[in-house]
Amino acid sequence: MQRREFLSAAAMGTVATLARSAAVIPQPVARPVVIGSVNGHFFKNGGQKTVIETAWEMMARGSDVLDALIAGVNIDELDPADPYVGFGGLPNAEGVVELDAAVMHGPSKRAGAVAALEGVRTPSLVAKAVMELTDNHLLVGTGAQHFARNAGFTIESDLNTDTSRQAWLDWKRRTDSANFPDAARRSLTEPAGGFAYSTHMYGTIHCSGVNTAGDVCGVTSTSGRAFKIPGRVGDSPILGAGLYVDGRVGAAGSTGRGEANLFSLASLLVVEGMRAGKSPKDAGMAALQRIRANTIAPRLRKDNGDPNFNILFFIVNTRGEHAGVALYGEDAGERGYAGQTNSEFARYSVCDESGPRIVNVEGLLPGTPQQ
Ligand code: ASP
């Protein structure tokens, strides 16, 4: 879509939404925007449009905000090139791809999520089905898979690609030389399947958006921590951790070390900060301070006492004001998407009337995690 078309589509959406809201009660008018993790600006699954472009276009044409965001995220989930999301995501320690996802619909205050789901490429759609079809907010493991099958989703026996399978095999050879003696012939400093463990164990897609009426929604989807203990669930599908949306306040989503987020329920903290009057950036920084204060285990700290990991938040309020924040702004955690970026900075993706782009996040702390 050209910039001109973006503008006219946005204008059409504005007029339609204003007409609708004027007939009912006056609504806060927002600057429409879609934001997300940086992979939202990279992956197209062989098509023409990225995650954020797709979501923006659907939203501008008047689609429900959550439907638009999920349609965008589906592109990344289906794209085998993203090693941390959906089909081809890095598997667990047994070589099985287990996926987590959550969706939240701000205007209707509904939510759904799945965790440790095997065999469905688009866990965000299963999360939406949980939201729409059940009285529950979270289904896990085989129960989630049975639900998905009954809801009409195709269940596949294996979501690995050759690349993810090779990465697992390389990891296995390094970590289990008794059973995989080939490890003895390999250099332990050689990158494993292109994934250097210290920096590339994590990856996720988050996408949130607000339309001209101030309707705000969010989606988070991931294969979680690479080579995790089977059954490990991170922050992504947990409401208040990897995602939180309050239709009257805004949305926050996260990528990075999920355990740190789970301990602090930091997306909820961010949204509560905005409810109390903070800007998206200030609310994000306050949540990062909480995570820093809660990180006291020596194994999780750098020599100077700061957290030895990164975590990012993507934040938007119902006016369309947004921010991306991280413990370390200078840490390009997305180096896993090698070839697509040479940035040294953690970034986030934005799509609004000016078109799609990536923006540096604001860091709380100087430097980077220690390797
Ligand atoms: N937060 C995700 C998890 O812990 C992973 C990531 O975002 O990189 O499962």
Side-chain angles (χ1 to χ4, degrees):
M1 188 181 249
Q2 301 299 309
R3 185 168 181 274
R4 196 176 57 251
E5 295 172 79
F6 263 110
L7 288 169
S8 77
M12 282 184 323
T14 306
V15 169
T17 311
L18 286 175
R20 272 202 308 277
S21 53
V24 194
I25 44 170
Q27 294 286 319
V29 177
R31 289 188 59 195
V33 66
V34 171
I35 66 166
S37 44
V38 75
N39 42 0
H41 187 64
F42 288 142
F43 293 104
K44 299 180 177 175
N45 191 29
Q48 299 294 314
K49 292 171 193 162
T50 64
V51 172
I52 55 169
E53 286 173 313
T54 301
W56 167 261
E57 286 183 29
M58 282 182 62
M59 208 175 77
R61 292 194 173 111
S63 166
D64 175 79
V65 175
L66 184 58
D67 287 343
L69 299 173
I70 292 174
V73 166
N74 288 163
I75 293 171
D76 192 33
E77 291 175 323
L78 294 169
D79 193 334
D82 189 336
Y84 304 103
V85 177
F87 176 54
L90 287 172
N92 67 21
E94 301 300 327
V96 177
V97 179
E98 281 181 349
L99 302 176
D100 302 335
V103 302
M104 291 189 79
H105 192 269
S108 63
K109 297 191 181 292
R110 290 186 302 163
V114 289
L117 172 65
E118 298 176 20
V120 183
R121 295 186 185 202
T122 53
S124 64
L125 281 173
V126 185
K128 184 183 177 219
V130 171
M131 177 182 89
E132 290 182 334
L133 300 176
T134 80
D135 187 39
N136 308 129
H137 284 327
L138 174 62
L139 297 179
V140 308
T142 53
Q145 193 190 59
H146 288 154
F147 165 79
R149 181 184 290 108
N150 292 336
F153 288 88
T154 300
I155 309 296
E156 298 179 62
S157 59
D158 187 4
L159 295 184
N160 275 293
T161 57
D162 288 347
T163 304
S164 65
R165 193 175 292 106
Q166 188 59 47
W168 177 81
L169 200 52
D170 285 355
W171 172 80
K172 197 69 183 161
R173 284 171 173 148
R174 280 154 205 285
T175 55
D176 187 5
S177 57
N179 289 307
F180 290 79
D182 182 42
R185 298 197 298 276
R186 300 171 71 91
S187 159
L188 287 178
T189 58
E190 175 193 344
F195 303 101
Y197 302 136
S198 53
T199 54
H200 297 159
M201 293 297 275
Y202 295 98
T204 291
I205 187 158
H206 167 76
C207 198
S208 50
V210 54
N211 66 10
T212 48
D215 295 341
V216 61
C217 297
V219 183
T220 303
S221 179
T222 189
S223 56
R225 184 177 177 156
F227 319 126
K228 58 196 173 187
I229 295 172
R232 178 265 186 189
V233 173
D235 59 325
S236 305
I238 304 302
L239 308 184
L243 175 67
Y244 198 71
V245 178
D246 185 309
R248 302 186 73 84
V249 179
S254 181
T255 66
R257 183 178 159 78
E259 282 71 14
N261 195 359
L262 279 170
F263 193 84
S264 298
L265 289 182
S267 287
L268 177 64
L269 278 184
V270 172
V271 172
E272 289 306 303
M274 291 194 289
R275 190 197 308 281
K278 286 192 170 73
S279 69
K281 178 186 159 189
D282 289 349
M285 288 299 180
L288 290 168
Q289 289 283 18
R290 178 73 63 86
I291 288 173
R292 182 189 192 195
N294 280 341
T295 305
I296 61 170
R299 69 186 174 83
L300 295 175
R301 295 169 67 152
K302 303 203 297 189
D303 296 341
N304 70 359
D306 286 337
N308 195 19
F309 54 83
N310 209 358
I311 186 162
L312 291 77
F313 291 92
F314 315 99
I315 307 162
V316 64
N317 66 21
T318 49
R319 291 188 295 278
E321 298 159 343
H322 55 88
V325 300
L327 278 175
Y328 297 101
E330 292 173 32
D331 173 50
E334 73 270 27
R335 272 193 296 264
Y337 309 122
Q340 283 136 331
T341 173
N342 293 316
S343 172
E344 292 303 316
F345 295 94
R347 298 175 299 167
Y348 72 114
S349 59
V350 177
C351 194
D352 57 16
E353 294 96 333
S354 304
R357 59 196 181 276
I358 48 179
V359 179
N360 287 352
V361 305
E362 304 263 357
L364 177 72
L365 303 168
T368 65
Q370 286 167 348
Q371 301 310 320

